[in-house]
């Protein structure tokens, strides 16, 4: 009798100890309540979702502008929009989609998922994460607000000079665009720093480089590309601002004074073409993360997929001038960029064939996220083939600046990024909410999205071949463009309805969907090893990883690292290559100064639109805010764990 009570008493003691540890973690990782706590939060999951939500708000606003443009082009000589308003809508649509939706939403997904996938509690610099979000939000709000004050930029999202220079674009429209683009790219750089440092220094013990999930690899490559690409466009917009400022009057892009307008194109497209892959590579990661759950097997060709992503990152910086084939580049240079444009299709083809092999050798389950994956293959391949065509100087010279390019761009970006993104929203929706997305309404929205997209953009290939140029707000009936434009406008309406139903379905499922459980899809990565939604601290102690599919091959083998305290905001720092435990790091807590710094940066950039002296006032204030941000706290110092002590404690990931 007594022997039966003893194991029960031991289990009760263990359960009591576990409850006490959870309570300590909740208390330690909690943040202030209410609005102020929301403003100063440093939780990567909250801020990641905030990035995603804010980016989709800008997506919706940019989509409304696109719908109005399509309504204007639905028939010849339409008068719904005048040329000035059309140019503002055209510029803000492209700017909103490229700068304020595509990159931030992918970074938001990464900031939420990467720490969970690698088994850590938070990102390395949580206050920088808070700053990155607020600079992104302030830049978007200020730029879109310009439309309501007749200050919407009107020179295209690529803002070519001399059209964007002071001689042809007086006023403050382009100034507002340049300052806000500089600001939003600072946000992207901050997010990239977070992802790279977190992945290389905070992986769970045992998660060596050859065990990192493919989604994490795609985000690492993307973040490294951001670190090299974004400074180029920041430099370009800064030089443009100097050229346009009466008190500075530089002449970087004015050929009459020794400048060169092609310098703008080189700087812009050195960023602009890698940006396509900055958007596309995270979508690659979505597919690689979702396929195992719906094929019941590991992704085929893990090393090939990793190396192809890295190759895409390198080659993406070598093709920018194929956007400039209509300029007087040397013919040898044009040939080299044609070769690079064709070469970059090789790693993309490797990705596609590895995924097809995974599907062909697995047991496919046709759930809602899987439908979006299959639509990716159908749509992106068309966009890739037209991209190969545009990589040729001969073809590019004929269709340059026509609707053929518009069609190609949307087939690549929507088919290659947005469709996988929508599938990813459905796939990780249970992780965020604890509820399953509605399947029936989701399938209806998918059908509308697929049909509407192709009805909208496939006719644009034909319009481009018929000679319809971009950035025209109307056309005459004799061109014969009317029927195809009408079809594209109807398709845009179907596409918009599909997006509305998709998000209505998610909103309804958030409260009424079926309870999901911890791993409803049967996935293999670590984010499903914790609760759904996850607690603020993610994991009580980091799990040990012994395979690429930890939840499939060793789901119950999760020993903990001794010495991690539940009474402190600590993360485990590991070595960059093999993820061996190195030391404990105490993370800084919530602070108002990242928000204040972001507010001052936005105010200074906005002040520069009207008065260049704003820097004289703004920079000292930003310096004070940064000093208070980095003022040393008196929290516990990082505790270095000696290697000998690691061996004695039997910490996982350490070989004796």
């Amino acid at each position: 009798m007594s022997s039966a009570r003893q194991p029960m008493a031991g289990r009760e003691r263990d359960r009591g100890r576990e409850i006490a540890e959870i309570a300590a973690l909740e208390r330690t990782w909690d943040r202030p309540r209410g609005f102020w706590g929301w403003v100063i939060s440093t939780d990567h999951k909250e801020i990641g979702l905030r990035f995603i939500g804010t980016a989709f708000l800008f997506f919706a606003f940019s989509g409304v502008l696109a719908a109005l443009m399509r309504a204007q082009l639905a028939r010849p000589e339409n008068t719904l929009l005048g040329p000035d308003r059309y140019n503002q809508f055209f510029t803000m649509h492209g700017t909103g989609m490229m700068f304020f939706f595509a990159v931030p939403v992918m970074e938001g997904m990464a900031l939420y998922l990467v720490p969970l996938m690698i088994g850590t509690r938070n990102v390395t610099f949580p206050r920088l994460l808070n700053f990155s979000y607020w600079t992104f939000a302030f830049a978007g709000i200020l730029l879109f607000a310009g439309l309501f004050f007749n200050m919407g930029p009107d020179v295209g999202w690529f803002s070519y000079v001399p059209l964007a220079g002071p001689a042809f674009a007086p006023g403050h429209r382009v100034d507002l665009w340049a300052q806000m683009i500089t600001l939003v790219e600072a946000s992207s750089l901050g997010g990239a720093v977070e992802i790279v440092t977190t992945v290389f220094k905070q992986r769970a013990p045992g998660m060596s480089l050859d065990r990192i999930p493919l989604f994490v690899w795609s985000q690492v490559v993307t973040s490294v590309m951001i670190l090299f690409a974004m400074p180029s466009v920041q430099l370009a917009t800064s030089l443009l601002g100097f050229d346009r400022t009466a008190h500075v009057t530089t002449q970087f892009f004015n050929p009459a004074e020794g400048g060169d307008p092609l310098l703008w194109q080189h700087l812009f497209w050195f960023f602009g073409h890698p940006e396509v892959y900055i958007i596309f590579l995270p979508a690659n990661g979505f597919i690689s993360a979702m396929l195992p759950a719906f094929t019941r097997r590991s992704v085929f060709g893990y090393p090939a997929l990793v190396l192809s992503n890295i190759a895409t990152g390198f080659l993406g910086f070598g093709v920018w001038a194929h956007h400039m084939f209509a300029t007087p580049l040397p013919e040898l240079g044009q040939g080299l960029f044609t070769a690079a444009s064709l070469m970059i299709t090789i790693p993309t083809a490797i990705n596609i064939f590895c995924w097809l092999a995974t599907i062909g050798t697995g047991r496919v389950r046709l759930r809602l996220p899987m439908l979006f994956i299959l639509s990716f293959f159908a749509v992106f391949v068309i966009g890739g083939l037209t991209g190969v065509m545009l990589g040729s100087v001969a073809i590019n010279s004929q269709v340059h600046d026509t609707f053929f390019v518009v069609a190609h761009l949307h087939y690549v970006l929507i088919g290659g990024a947005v469709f996988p993104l929508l599938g990813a929203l459905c796939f990780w929706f249970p992780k965020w909410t604890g509820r399953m997305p509605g399947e029936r309404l989701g399938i209806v929205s998918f059908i509308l999205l697929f049909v509407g997209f192709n009805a909208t953009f496939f006719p644009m290939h034909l319009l481009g071949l018929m000679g319809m140029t971009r950035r025209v707000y109307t056309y005459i009936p004799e061109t014969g463009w009317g029927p195809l434009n009408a079809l594209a406008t109807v398709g845009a309406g179907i596409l918009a309805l599909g997006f509305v139903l998709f998000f209505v379905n998610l909103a309804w499922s958030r409260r009424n969907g079926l309870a999901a459980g911890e791993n409803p899809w049967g996935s293999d990565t670590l984010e499903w090893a914790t609760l759904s939604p996850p607690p603020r601290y993610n994991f009580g102690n980091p799990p040990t990883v012994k395979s690429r599919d930890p939840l499939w091959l060793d789901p119950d083998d999760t020993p903990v690292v001794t010495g991690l305290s539940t009474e402190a905001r600590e993360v485990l720092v590991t070595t960059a290559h093999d993820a061996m435990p190195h030391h404990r790091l105490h993370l800084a807590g919530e602070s108002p100064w990242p928000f204040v710094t972001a507010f001052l940066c936005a105010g200074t950039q906005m002040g520069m639109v009207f008065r260049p002296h704003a820097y004289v006032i703004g920079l000292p204030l930003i310096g004070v805010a940064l000093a208070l941000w980095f003022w040393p706290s008196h929290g516990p110092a990082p505790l270095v764990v000696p290697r000998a002590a690691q061996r004695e404690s039997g910490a996982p990931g350490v070989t004796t």
Side-chain angles (χ1 to χ4, degrees):
M1 188 73 175
S2 60
S3 62
R5 289 197 193 96
Q6 287 176 356
M8 185 176 297
R11 287 195 297 270
E12 289 177 354
R13 283 195 302 271
D14 292 342
R15 179 60 179 164
R17 189 180 302 112
E18 181 182 351
I19 293 174
E21 290 177 352
I22 292 174
L25 283 168
E26 292 284 358
R27 181 174 58 254
T28 303
W29 287 82
D30 197 14
R31 63 163 172 79
R33 302 293 178 180
F35 176 76
W36 185 241
W38 180 79
V39 167
I40 66 175
S41 173
T42 55
D43 183 358
H44 75 95
K45 298 178 295 297
E46 282 190 16
I47 298 177
L49 289 177
R50 225 179 284 170
F51 262 103
I52 296 168
T54 307
F56 269 106
L57 287 177
F58 293 139
F59 173 84
F61 197 85
S62 302
V64 170
L65 299 181
L68 291 172
M69 289 191 295
R70 280 270 30 112
Q72 165 65 22
L73 295 174
R75 60 187 181 88
E77 298 181 339
N78 201 354
T79 58
L80 176 65
L81 298 176
D84 181 64
R85 183 63 67 181
Y86 185 91
N87 285 339
Q88 291 186 59
F89 285 6
F90 171 86
T91 303
M92 284 302 303
H93 167 70
T95 300
M97 290 298 190
M98 298 298 290
F99 291 101
F100 292 92
F101 168 69
V103 175
V105 76
M106 296 303 186
E107 280 199 330
M109 295 289 289
L111 292 168
Y112 187 102
L113 292 169
V114 165
L116 290 168
M117 283 187 168
I118 64 174
T120 189
R121 287 175 169 174
N122 205 347
V123 294
T124 47
F125 309 113
R127 291 184 180 179
L128 176 63
L129 182 59
N130 182 283
F131 170 82
S132 296
Y133 170 73
W134 286 113
T135 51
F136 158 61
F138 287 144
I141 291 170
L142 291 173
L143 184 61
F144 277 93
L147 279 176
F148 298 97
F149 297 95
N150 199 30
M151 281 185 59
D154 56 355
V155 291
W157 74 275
F158 31 73
S159 200
Y160 277 174
V161 293
L163 179 62
F168 295 96
H172 296 300
R173 291 178 173 181
V174 178
D175 299 318
L176 178 65
W177 182 89
Q179 298 298 333
M180 293 306 107
I181 295 304
T182 303
L183 186 62
V184 75
E185 300 308 357
S187 168
S188 298
L189 287 169
V193 168
E194 295 283 9
I195 293 166
V196 171
T197 53
T198 301
V199 170
F200 282 108
K201 296 304 295 179
Q202 287 183 203
R203 303 195 305 278
M207 185 175 282
S208 54
L209 288 181
D210 62 344
R211 295 174 182 169
I212 298 178
L214 286 166
F215 174 79
V216 177
W217 267 118
S218 71
Q219 291 293 349
V220 168
V221 176
T222 298
S223 299
V224 173
M225 293 183 73
I226 288 174
L227 293 176
F228 284 94
M230 298 306 177
S232 178
V233 73
Q234 285 183 305
L235 174 62
T237 53
S238 298
L239 297 182
L240 178 61
F242 293 150
D243 275 13
R244 293 181 54 84
T245 301
H247 297 274
V248 181
T249 61
T250 56
Q251 307 291 337
F252 290 105
F253 306 119
N254 183 4
E257 299 293 337
D260 188 354
L262 288 186
L263 173 62
W264 169 268
Q265 293 194 35
H266 283 293
L267 290 173
F268 185 86
W269 289 118
F270 187 80
F271 142 83
H273 201 86
E275 166 141 10
V276 174
Y277 299 102
I278 288 169
I279 299 166
F280 172 64
L281 284 177
N284 280 7
F286 296 150
I287 295 171
S288 296
M290 292 187 288
L291 271 181
F294 300 109
T295 60
R296 311 313 301 161
R297 62 148 294 164
S298 300
V299 176
F300 178 86
Y302 177 96
L305 286 167
V306 172
L307 293 175
S308 67
N309 284 341
I310 295 173
T312 299
F314 278 104
L315 293 173
F317 284 94
V319 297
W320 81 87
H322 85 206
H323 296 269
M324 303 170 58
F325 283 160
T327 64
L329 292 176
E331 290 186 3
L332 177 60
Q334 292 183 2
L336 293 175
F337 281 104
T338 293
S341 301
L342 300 178
M343 189 183 304
I344 203 169
T345 63
I346 296 174
T348 303
I350 292 173
N351 286 344
I352 291 175
F353 283 113
C354 285
W355 294 326
L356 290 176
T358 304
I359 295 172
T361 57
R363 292 170 293 171
V364 176
R365 295 187 299 169
L366 282 178
R367 302 293 297 275
L368 182 58
M370 188 64 184
L371 294 178
F372 282 103
I373 294 176
L374 296 177
S375 70
F376 158 84
F377 290 106
V379 175
F380 178 74
V381 169
I382 296 176
L385 291 174
T386 56
V388 172
M389 296 167 65
L390 289 171
S392 166
V393 177
I395 298 177
N396 191 300
S397 300
Q398 297 299 314
V399 299
H400 180 80
D401 224 16
T402 69
F403 263 72
F404 189 91
V405 179
V406 177
H408 158 72
L409 176 68
H410 286 84
Y411 264 82
V412 169
L413 293 182
I414 296 182
V418 175
F419 278 176
L421 173 64
L422 297 180
L425 293 180
C426 297
F427 183 75
W428 280 292
F429 185 79
K431 174 53 57 181
W432 301 331
T433 66
R435 303 278 182 175
M436 296 296 290
E439 194 79 11
R440 291 183 179 178
L441 188 56
I443 292 174
V444 172
S445 65
F446 164 76
I447 293 172
L448 291 174
L449 288 167
F450 186 79
V451 173
F453 169 80
N454 285 285
T456 302
F457 295 105
F458 193 83
M460 294 185 188
H461 293 100
L462 305 178
L463 286 169
L465 295 176
M466 294 170 63
M468 184 172 181
T469 57
R470 305 166 66 184
R471 299 186 295 280
V472 293
Y473 84 102
T474 190
Y475 52 93
I476 59 176
E478 289 75 13
T479 58
W481 303 336
L484 288 175
N485 271 304
L487 175 60
T489 302
V490 172
I494 298 173
L495 182 64
L497 178 60
F499 276 115
V500 170
L501 288 182
F502 179 87
F503 288 106
V504 166
N505 182 41
L506 294 187
W508 182 89
S509 300
R510 186 175 182 272
R511 291 185 176 274
N512 304 294
L514 297 175
E518 293 182 6
N519 190 1
W521 307 112
S523 188
D524 61 334
T525 43
L526 282 183
E527 77 272 22
W528 302 104
T530 186
L531 301 175
S532 298
R536 291 189 185 279
Y537 50 86
N538 291 350
F539 302 94
N541 280 287
T544 300
V545 176
K546 297 183 178 180
S547 66
R548 292 175 187 161
D549 308 302
L551 299 192
W552 284 359
L553 301 183
D554 45 283
D556 300 320
D557 187 11
T558 56
V560 298
V561 175
T562 58
L564 264 186
S565 171
T566 57
E567 295 286 353
R569 295 173 63 96
E570 293 174 347
V571 294
L572 182 68
V573 177
T574 53
T575 55
H577 181 268
D578 52 5
M580 296 176 67
H582 188 262
H583 65 272
R584 268 179 12 213
L585 177 66
H586 180 79
L587 293 179
E590 282 77 11
S591 169
W593 296 112
F595 171 80
V596 173
T597 306
F599 179 81
L600 291 173
C601 288
T604 302
Q605 294 294 104
M606 189 66 188
M608 274 290 295
V609 173
F610 302 99
R611 293 288 186 273
H613 308 97
Y615 271 141
V616 178
I617 301 172
L619 288 180
L621 294 176
I622 293 171
V624 171
L626 286 172
L628 294 170
W629 176 349
F630 295 118
W631 196 264
S633 64
H634 299 287
L639 175 61
V640 176
V641 184
R643 191 57 57 91
Q646 293 176 354
R647 296 193 185 98
E648 292 174 4
S649 66
V654 179
T655 56
T656 58

